[in-house]
Amino acid sequence: MEQCESVEREVDKVLQKFLTYGQHCEQSLEELLHYVGQLRAELASAALQGTPLSATLSLVMSQCCRKIKDTVQKLASDHKDIHSSVSRVGKAIDRNFDSEVCGVVSDAVWDSREKQQQILQMAIVEHLYQQGMLSVAEELCQESTLNVDLDFKQPFLELNRILEALHKHDLGPALEWAISHRQRLLELNSSLEFKLHRLYFIHLLDTSHWAEICETFTRDACSLLGLSVESPLSVSFASGCVALPVLMNIKAVIEQRQCTGVWSHKDELPIEIELGMKCWYHSVFACPILRQQTSDSNPPIKLICGHVISRDALNKLINGGKLKCPYCPMEQNPADGKRIIF
């Protein structure tokens, strides 16, 4: 985050210089045009009268030419100074960020380049649909030859149509949707329909009411449609910003100690990275016996006595076809264990 703030400060300096330069340039050119316009009027008046060019007008013309030259040189000099400020932004980026980001992992952990490209394109398209940028998403699909069927797009189209109406303070589409999905909303213990009717009967509205109903509708609609409230791309990007510095440090340690094969698995990181509560989407169970996080291939198993261990631990504890719980003296049949899904 400090690196981003450092680059942002340089960008702010450049933007401020652009603003100041633009205002100064506009003012200088306006003053110059006004000055030249006055001189032109005087020359035209003298020409109409048929009088020869006076020494005073000749001096004024010389001064005008000198002023034009000085103004142009000053604007060009200021413009060169902006170029140096822009280059400092590039240097700040190089100084604060490692350009070889892809080198944090071995190529072996990734799928083929074609598969990577397809996954990335699909993530971008889904993000654009979820943000309501439908035309941009369609254009990307055409340019990337990505085949996205209507069943995938339909939930996003419906969601954005209703949200667009809510932003215009039109409750009709949202009410129709809530009534047609009433039973499923009740199963979610949702108060969306009640809030929509309540908002319909309130005459003196403020912005907070509409912002709240948009948030409620988005959350409940995404739950019913099987969509995440936040774009997977934005979540992945935010998580990557947190994890990348840690992975860069790990890469440096691996290279320094000349360790090979430390990270070769596609489904795990070499160390645990804390992403914060915001990125906690589901519960995680670690086996108290083997001290390992459970997975699809090694799920948590609930014993008859109520204690939970991993399947690998259960298999290791079987003795003579029987299993004795490691936390209580109850002996039981291993086949009686039930898999738990969090």
Side-chain angles (χ1 to χ4, degrees):
M1 199 61 191
E2 294 178 1
Q3 290 87 345
C4 293
E5 291 175 352
S6 177
V7 174
E8 187 178 17
R9 284 194 293 269
E10 293 295 335
V11 173
D12 289 340
K13 291 179 184 178
V14 172
L15 293 177
Q16 184 59 42
K17 283 194 174 184
F18 267 113
L19 179 62
T20 304
Y21 175 77
Q23 294 173 344
H24 173 67
C25 183
E26 185 177 359
Q27 182 179 356
S28 299
L29 292 177
E30 284 182 355
E31 291 177 355
L32 195 60
L33 287 172
H34 180 69
Y35 182 66
V36 172
Q38 288 182 328
L39 178 59
R40 182 181 181 182
E42 292 182 16
L43 290 172
S45 177
L48 287 175
Q49 294 175 5
T51 57
L53 191 65
S54 65
T56 302
L57 277 178
S58 298
L59 179 62
V60 171
M61 284 185 65
S62 299
Q63 291 176 343
C64 180
C65 291
R66 187 161 48 251
K67 185 172 183 179
I68 292 173
K69 183 179 179 180
D70 292 343
T71 300
V72 172
Q73 287 180 344
K74 180 66 170 60
L75 293 176
S77 176
D78 292 343
H79 194 267
K80 287 181 179 179
D81 183 54
I82 293 178
H83 275 285
S84 63
S85 299
V86 173
S87 66
R88 280 196 290 272
V89 174
K91 292 177 181 178
I93 294 174
D94 294 337
R95 186 171 59 252
N96 289 281
F97 298 98
D98 194 325
S99 58
E100 296 296 328
V101 175
C102 296
V104 296
V105 295
S106 169
D107 291 337
V109 304
W110 303 110
D111 293 319
S112 64
R113 183 172 295 275
E114 292 76 15
K115 185 66 173 179
Q116 291 181 46
Q117 186 175 9
Q118 185 180 9
I119 292 173
L120 178 59
Q121 289 172 349
M122 198 64 189
I124 295 174
V125 167
E126 183 175 350
H127 174 79
L128 293 173
Y129 276 125
Q130 192 151 0
Q131 297 301 313
M133 305 171 71
L134 308 179
S135 60
V136 182
E138 291 292 338
E139 188 69 24
L140 178 58
C141 289
Q142 293 178 8
E143 293 183 0
S144 63
T145 65
L146 192 66
N147 185 19
V148 180
D149 56 37
L150 184 60
D151 291 338
F152 175 83
K153 294 187 288 186
Q154 190 57 42
F156 297 105
L157 297 175
E158 185 177 18
L159 183 66
N160 283 286
R161 177 182 64 84
I162 298 174
L163 281 175
E164 186 177 349
L166 287 176
H167 289 311
K168 295 178 181 178
H169 293 187
D170 180 7
L171 291 170
L175 274 170
E176 291 177 6
W177 186 90
I179 292 171
S180 63
H181 295 82
R182 177 177 295 167
Q183 186 58 42
R184 295 183 63 191
L185 287 171
L186 290 174
E187 292 173 0
L188 291 175
N189 197 26
S190 169
S191 59
L192 174 62
E193 186 177 353
F194 167 74
K195 289 182 177 180
L196 288 169
H197 284 291
R198 182 184 64 181
L199 190 58
Y200 185 79
F201 286 104
I202 294 177
H203 298 289
L204 299 176
L205 304 168
D206 58 31
T207 308
S208 62
H209 288 116
W210 290 100
E212 179 190 358
I213 203 64
C214 287
E215 181 181 348
T216 302
F217 170 76
T218 302
R219 183 183 64 250
D220 292 348
C222 286
S223 180
L224 258 64
L225 296 172
L227 304 174
S228 59
V229 177
E230 293 186 62
S231 159
L233 180 63
S234 61
V235 173
S236 301
F237 181 81
S239 301
C241 289
V242 176
L244 195 57
V246 181
L247 296 178
M248 294 299 295
N249 291 335
I250 290 296
K251 173 197 171 188
V253 172
I254 291 174
E255 290 177 349
Q256 183 180 5
R257 299 184 179 181
Q258 297 182 348
C259 302
T260 58
V262 175
W263 186 8
S264 59
H265 300 286
K266 294 184 178 182
D267 58 349
E268 65 179 27
L269 297 175
I271 59 170
E272 184 176 354
I273 299 176
E274 179 59 54
L275 297 178
M277 290 293 295
K278 187 177 180 181
C279 291
W280 284 21
Y281 294 98
H282 53 80
S283 301
V284 175
F285 177 77
C287 176
I289 305 300
L290 299 181
R291 307 289 183 183
Q292 293 178 349
Q293 182 175 313
T294 54
S295 62
D296 289 339
S297 59
N298 179 30
I301 303 295
K302 177 180 175 292
L303 305 180
I304 295 177
C305 55
H307 294 109
V308 180
I309 59 177
S310 67
R311 177 176 290 169
D312 287 350
L314 182 146
N315 293 332
K316 290 179 181 294
L317 292 172
I318 296 176
N319 185 10
K322 291 292 183 179
L323 170 68
K324 186 175 181 180
C325 176
Y327 290 98
C328 67
M330 180 178 289
E331 193 175 80
Q332 50 201 289
N333 186 344
D336 293 334
K338 302 295 184 182
R339 177 176 177 175
I340 295 179
I341 298 177
F342 289 98

